[in-house]
């Protein structure tokens, strides 16, 4: 895969095919070593941890966003104040 990447100087269909084949081979190897049931459990645990992590991250980002955006009730007041401020400006 590295040879194809160096030769083409970017991602190509060949590299994507090699990456997909490598991922499948790795999955089959891990299933052979640990067993299919253990791999299913590992994948389920990893997915649950990822969902928890992303949920926590997005909640923190939502709180940051909400702290910067005024509540909807204040937006009407802000719009009215802006209209009054620009009434005397312009042609």
């Amino acid at each position: 895969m590295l040879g194809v990447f160096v030769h083409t100087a970017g991602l190509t269909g060949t590299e994507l095919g090699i990456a997909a084949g490598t991922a499948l081979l790795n999955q089959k190897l891990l299933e052979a070593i640990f067993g299919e049931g253990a791999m299913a459990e590992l994948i389920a645990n990893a997915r649950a941890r990822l969902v928890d992590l992303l949920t926590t991250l997005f909640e923190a980002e939502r709180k940051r966003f909400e702290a910067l955006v005024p509540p909807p009730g204040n937006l009407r007041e802000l719009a009215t104040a802006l209209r009054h401020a620009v009434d005397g400006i312009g042609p």
Side-chain angles (χ1 to χ4, degrees):
M1 187 159 109
L2 183 59
V4 173
F5 184 77
V6 169
H7 179 60
T8 62
L11 289 176
T12 66
T14 305
E15 288 172 359
L16 295 175
I18 292 170
T22 302
L24 181 64
L25 181 63
N26 286 338
Q27 179 183 353
K28 293 300 179 188
L29 178 63
L30 289 174
E31 284 178 0
I33 293 172
F34 296 113
E36 191 172 331
M39 285 307 302
E41 184 179 343
L42 284 171
I43 291 169
N45 289 340
R47 179 176 288 136
R49 286 179 29 217
L50 178 62
V51 167
D52 290 343
L53 178 66
L54 289 175
T55 300
T56 302
L57 178 67
F58 284 128
E59 283 177 2
E61 287 300 310
R62 183 176 45 90
K63 287 178 185 176
R64 280 183 355 126
F65 177 78
E66 288 175 350
L68 297 173
V69 176
N74 294 350
L75 292 178
R76 290 194 189 277
E77 295 170 9
L78 179 61
T80 303
L82 287 172
R83 284 189 190 99
H84 289 304
V86 298
D87 276 343
I89 301 174

